[in-house]
Amino acid sequence: MNRRDILRRSAAAGLLATPAAGLLAGCATGGGDDNDDTAAYKGTKSEQNPLGVKEDAPLEVVIFSGGFGEEYAKAHEAMYTEKYPKAKVKHSATQEISKTLQPRFVDGSPPDVVNNSGTGQIDFNGLVSQNALADLGELLAAPSLDVPGKTVKDTLLPGAVEIGSYDGKFLVLNYTYTAYGIWHSNKLFTERKWEYAKTWDEHIALCKQIKAAGIAPWTYAGIHPRYMSWPLISTAIKFGGPSVALALDNLEPNAWKSDAMKAAADAWHQIVKDKYILEGSPGLDHKQSQTAWCQGKAAFISCGSWLESEQKDVTPAGFNMTIAPTPSLGSGDKLPFEAIRGTAGEPFMVPAKARNVAGGLEYFRTMLSKKGAQDFTRKVASLTVVAGASDGVELPYGLSSVVKALDASGTNGFNWVYNNYYRKLERNLVDAACGEFFSGRIGPADFLDQCQKGADSIAQDSTVKKYKRAA
Amino acid sequence: MRHGKWPLIVTFLVPPVLLYVVFVVSPYLQAFQISTTDWLGYSADANSVGLANFKTLWHDGYVWNALQNNAILLALVPVLTIVLGIFFATMLAMGGRKGRAGVTGVRGGAFYRTVYFFPQVLSVVIIALLWKEVYHPNKGLLTSALHALGLPSPTWLGDPATAFWCVLAVMVWSNVGFYVVLFGAAMSAVPKEIYEAVLLDGASRFTTLRRVTLPLLWDTVQVAWVYLAIFALDGFILVQLMTNGGPNFSTDVIGVRMYDTAFGSETKFGYASAIGVVMFFLTLSVAVLSLRVGRRDRIEYS
């Protein structure tokens, strides 16, 4: 092998070493030209067909195959073809939404329905600012498929439309209704005669008791420590009111260093300081930590209401997982103990350049029908944004505790959306800060500093489109 | 033989060159062009922004942090891998005590060779998952071993103080086997008489290695160096699967930064391309540099 050979090979290897850059470029060519065979399918609108679906137009659906699997989508597709027997539905499922679909977006030939979820989720900020998503407003105004006299919008739970709206346009259908809280095993607590604490001081006292019993009070997903930002921010919002969340979402200066956030961070620092966290947690991912929790090695874990279906395979019988709101800091809290973070999740979208936009909207209408939503709840044990759709469906233990918690929370429920507006802020920046904080390497002040620095970097980045929401 | 020359050249050269141009050269040229735009990746619209991406990059602390980690990898991975590779290859080729000439390998050499080569057979993804379990903070092999000895154990991948070194160790582990075989093959090309002569002169094993084996293997070591340097500048797959750059960016590398910018937490394809372009030049310079620095006279056996 002579020198030139080596050089040539090393250059080739160098190119191989940067595969993504090559990919980026490969996709950029020849995109965006509309020619005749990509013209949109349009049907005639009528009372029976308010969205103007062309009945023989094919529909392509791409599902994220995560905790919910893909069977539920196949059922929805079957309902769609029942109504439009001439339509051919193309179904596919992947865990890599962005990698699989990015070239097709550029090419101008995206699928008609995309379940944009999971770690391979495409950043919504990028999609929205490039006008890549179809406006779903027409869907909201259309009559519900099986709730007579009501439009689709009327059938949705409060907050479902807001969370999918950017600058007032409804672009993303978040299909599930998710509660975020602190989970414990009712079986363990009954056996040990422990009671879930309603105030923070009681919580700390309970942690002491649990630790004395030889069980770690807490564990968390150390590899994805943002899971712990949820109860911390919730504590702050309950202490300071919904304006705390509004400030975070609108990237207001020093929003992360508000008094409420300080109080919450100080409080949560206690479980780190007093070593109430299962040893080794910083090195566990979400599955590993949840499994440790299911095995009774820890008493509490922070998660959303998908926890029960995600842990189905490893949860012992009679474990009786129960969700509860974060404890109140004290009597000065603006929101009652029962207030819990509830929000629509699991985003679905119709790309603006999809050939069958009307079909995509109609597919959503099918999903949002009472029948479609009930089927989903039955299949994957998760609530949907369709009000009352879980009535009469037998719910597993954990999910019924979610329903109870949401009912108790009622109008005191709260939410934040900065993670939707600026994916990077939660996934990278706040995540990293939580990792440092909950492993005890930094204190509450440095934690909030690091979060604020992250928020500031987003606020100052002129290449990122900013969104504001009003109360 | 002259008359069949052109058809032969054309059939064997044109298709690979064409493939290379279409799938390697042209995307690269495009990446250069994209790096000067603000393309966000999900529409065909992109505005030219000149060198703004590179300017941002210059002030991007996360990119510098990743580059710093790459620099440490670049300094350590090739050295460790080559030293270990040469050590194992030497032991396999001439570490045995049998025979006065001392040029036989240790007993069971074939077995060791297989064991060393084993990581090479596994896909990188499997290696990453395997080691993630080894590093499991509660029930992993390492933790359990330390606990069995009554020692405290760190959280490995969960602690910024240890995570980077854990990943580095896996990089060396997964590469050594290949270089054992490479160096082994190069050593077997060295005539035995040279060793016999050296040993007759009373040289120790270490002197033999330093004065005879290494100079004769220099070409191969150089190739290994270039490959490993390129590997160290990349390191993407292992890092992405094992830690995804965390905790707190302590294991971040430039490849992960690029991927995250385009496909991960953002969709800034223009900026990501700029990172890719920087990576391209870094890789190229490192390759050229290590070839220049390592330039020595070639030795040919006749």
Side-chain angles (χ1 to χ4, degrees):
Chain A
M1 190 185 271
N2 62 30
R3 180 159 294 127
R4 196 184 266 166
D5 262 334
I6 299 170
L7 244 185
R8 205 184 312 128
R9 279 176 198 205
S10 55
L15 296 175
L16 287 175
T18 52
L23 258 179
L24 312 182
C27 308
T29 37
D33 300 325
D34 287 306
N35 44 36
D36 285 344
D37 53 277
T38 61
Y41 293 110
K42 278 205 176 82
T44 345
K45 288 187 188 181
S46 67
E47 207 169 308
Q48 284 305 305
N49 185 6
L51 296 164
V53 180
K54 190 159 184 280
E55 56 177 19
D56 59 348
L59 182 77
E60 186 183 353
V61 181
V62 178
I63 295 298
F64 165 68
S65 62
F68 294 137
E70 53 177 308
E71 290 311 313
Y72 76 88
K74 286 185 182 156
H76 288 151
E77 287 154 14
M79 290 174 204
Y80 184 89
T81 39
E82 206 175 295
K83 193 169 174 202
Y84 301 99
K86 284 190 210 150
K88 228 179 128 186
V89 177
K90 191 179 163 206
H91 168 98
S92 63
T94 173
Q95 298 197 351
E96 299 286 358
I97 297 288
S98 71
K99 266 186 272 181
T100 320
L101 298 182
Q102 191 265 348
R104 298 189 52 190
F105 271 90
V106 179
D107 193 35
S109 60
D112 305 305
V113 172
V114 180
N115 173 201
N116 184 21
S117 187
T119 42
Q121 182 188 54
I122 309 167
D123 174 30
F124 274 108
N125 189 303
L127 287 171
V128 174
S129 68
Q130 291 171 87
N131 301 319
L133 302 184
D135 192 339
L136 307 179
E138 226 180 318
L139 165 73
L140 293 179
S144 162
L145 260 184
D146 55 5
V147 184
K150 279 193 174 176
T151 64
V152 168
K153 191 180 182 182
D154 297 336
T155 64
L156 301 183
L157 287 172
V161 175
E162 285 74 13
I163 185 147
S165 298
Y166 292 79
D167 287 340
K169 258 201 229 166
F170 184 52
L171 301 174
V172 184
L173 168 66
N174 287 284
Y175 187 53
T176 63
Y177 202 79
T178 309
Y180 292 78
I182 297 173
W183 293 80
H184 64 271
S185 158
N186 200 26
K187 181 181 174 221
L188 179 73
F189 273 53
T190 322
E191 273 173 12
R192 305 268 179 161
K193 299 200 172 60
W194 293 331
E195 203 176 325
Y196 187 82
K198 291 193 171 181
T199 69
W200 189 255
D201 290 342
E202 285 166 25
H203 181 79
I204 293 297
L206 177 60
C207 282
K208 199 172 173 189
Q209 214 181 331
I210 293 173
K211 196 179 178 186
I215 297 175
W218 274 89
T219 187
Y220 70 101
I223 305 291
H224 313 288
R226 62 174 177 277
Y227 277 53
M228 286 307 275
S229 72
W230 305 333
L232 194 152
I233 297 174
S234 297
T235 304
I237 294 172
K238 283 165 81 160
F239 178 75
S243 62
V244 175
L246 192 69
L248 297 182
D249 290 346
N250 290 345
L251 297 180
E252 278 171 27
N254 288 323
W256 288 87
K257 296 201 224 171
S258 64
D259 290 341
M261 285 300 290
K262 272 184 192 147
D266 283 341
W268 279 93
H269 189 50
Q270 193 78 32
I271 67 163
V272 185
K273 247 189 342 205
D274 293 352
K275 302 217 178 318
Y276 288 153
I277 299 177
L278 176 70
E279 215 179 306
S281 293
L284 301 177
D285 67 16
H286 59 301
K287 276 284 211 184
Q288 290 168 334
S289 61
Q290 285 159 199
T291 303
W293 173 75
C294 278
Q295 289 165 347
K297 292 190 178 127
F300 297 118
I301 195 162
S302 153
C303 198
S305 45
W306 62 84
L307 179 67
E308 188 172 38
S309 61
E310 195 168 33
Q311 292 301 105
K312 205 160 60 185
D313 297 337
V314 292
T315 311
F319 185 75
N320 291 354
M321 58 174 77
T322 308
I323 197 172
T326 51
S328 307
L329 279 187
S331 52
D333 275 26
K334 295 242 168 69
L335 297 176
F337 163 75
E338 285 75 21
I340 197 165
R341 181 187 182 200
T343 175
E346 201 59 23
F348 283 77
M349 60 199 195
V350 175
K353 285 198 177 147
R355 287 193 72 187
N356 196 0
V357 171
L361 295 185
E362 179 71 15
Y363 180 77
F364 285 172
R365 200 158 74 109
T366 316
M367 287 171 73
L368 294 173
S369 68
K370 201 148 193 176
K371 186 179 161 201
Q374 261 174 353
D375 189 73
F376 178 81
T377 302
R378 212 171 284 129
K379 280 209 165 69
V380 305
S382 170
L383 303 176
T384 65
V385 289
V386 181
S390 63
D391 297 352
V393 180
E394 202 188 319
L395 301 177
Y397 193 95
L399 193 60
S400 49
S401 83
V402 170
V403 173
K404 263 183 247 158
L406 284 170
D407 278 347
S409 168
T411 52
N412 287 314
F414 55 89
N415 188 30
W416 60 86
V417 292
Y418 82 87
N419 50 317
N420 289 354
Y421 288 171
Y422 317 106
R423 182 174 154 84
K424 184 182 179 182
L425 182 52
E426 190 193 44
R427 292 262 167 168
N428 280 12
L429 308 174
V430 171
D431 192 63
C434 285
E436 295 299 282
F437 181 57
F438 284 99
S439 60
R441 285 187 293 272
I442 58 175
D446 288 335
F447 164 68
L448 295 178
D449 263 348
Q450 196 177 335
C451 291
Q452 186 59 47
K453 234 178 83 193
D456 289 345
S457 74
I458 301 283
Q460 283 152 16
D461 188 341
S462 58
T463 59
V464 175
K465 188 162 185 225
K466 307 298 184 313
Y467 298 99
K468 296 253 185 252
R469 71 181 177 94
Chain B
M1 282 305 285
R2 269 193 96 67
H3 97 127
K5 193 172 128 194
W6 287 110
L8 190 78
I9 289 181
V10 169
T11 15
F12 280 93
L13 216 55
V14 168
V17 166
L18 259 179
L19 282 175
Y20 191 77
V21 167
V22 170
F23 289 110
V24 180
V25 178
S26 87
Y28 238 89
L29 290 177
Q30 283 183 21
F32 278 73
Q33 186 254 320
I34 291 170
S35 71
T36 64
T37 67
D38 62 356
W39 191 42
L40 286 172
Y42 288 86
S43 71
D45 314 322
N47 306 310
S48 176
V49 293
L51 295 178
N53 284 332
F54 293 94
K55 224 185 273 167
T56 319
L57 215 150
W58 186 257
H59 298 288
D60 188 333
Y62 296 105
V63 168
W64 281 108
N65 165 61
L67 275 177
Q68 195 189 329
N69 285 338
N70 275 117
I72 300 174
L73 289 180
L74 185 62
L76 292 180
V77 171
V79 178
L80 289 174
T81 312
I82 289 173
V83 166
L84 282 174
I86 287 181
F87 173 71
F88 288 138
T90 315
M91 291 308 280
L92 288 176
M94 55 196 88
R97 297 175 178 280
K98 202 172 53 177
R100 237 177 295 159
V103 277
T104 48
V106 292
R107 244 186 295 165
F111 171 72
Y112 288 119
R113 223 183 296 263
T114 316
V115 170
Y116 294 147
F117 200 71
F118 205 63
Q120 213 62 38
V121 184
L122 298 175
S123 106
V124 191
V125 180
I126 306 235
I127 290 179
L129 294 179
L130 202 87
W131 278 91
K132 242 175 114 168
E133 284 309 310
V134 172
Y135 287 134
H136 190 294
N138 292 340
K139 48 183 190 198
L141 202 63
L142 275 175
T143 311
S144 309
L146 283 179
H147 282 180
L149 294 171
L151 296 170
S153 85
T155 40
W156 310 113
L157 296 175
D159 188 339
T162 49
F164 182 74
W165 306 107
C166 290
V167 176
L168 191 143
V170 178
M171 285 180 178
V172 173
W173 178 84
S174 61
N175 274 314
V176 156
F178 177 76
Y179 293 96
V180 170
V181 173
L182 187 74
F183 295 141
M187 279 179 197
S188 64
V190 177
K192 251 187 184 175
E193 295 81 39
I194 297 183
Y195 286 115
E196 284 166 357
V198 175
L199 286 170
L200 276 181
D201 286 345
S204 69
R205 279 215 182 89
F206 182 70
T207 318
T208 317
L209 176 67
R210 203 164 64 93
R211 300 276 182 188
V212 180
T213 313
L214 260 186
L216 289 177
L217 286 189
W218 197 250
D219 260 7
T220 318
V221 171
Q222 219 182 340
V223 174
W225 204 284
V226 175
Y227 279 172
L228 285 164
I230 291 167
F231 174 85
L233 279 179
D234 177 23
F236 170 74
I237 311 177
L238 273 180
V239 172
Q240 210 238 355
L241 287 168
M242 288 179 68
T243 64
N244 199 18
N248 201 21
F249 302 96
S250 61
T251 57
D252 212 6
V253 291
I254 190 76
V256 170
R257 210 70 331 270
M258 176 171 74
Y259 179 84
D260 185 69
T261 307
F263 293 99
S265 64
E266 295 172 291
T267 67
K268 293 179 178 170
F269 281 70
Y271 190 52
S273 294
I275 298 178
V277 167
V278 168
M279 211 172 145
F280 170 78
F281 281 116
L282 279 178
T283 314
L284 209 64
S285 340
V286 165
V288 171
L289 217 71
S290 51
L291 286 171
R292 292 263 154 202
V293 172
R295 179 182 274 172
R296 289 204 186 171
D297 290 332
R298 287 174 61 98
I299 295 159
E300 294 192 17
Y301 322 110
S302 49

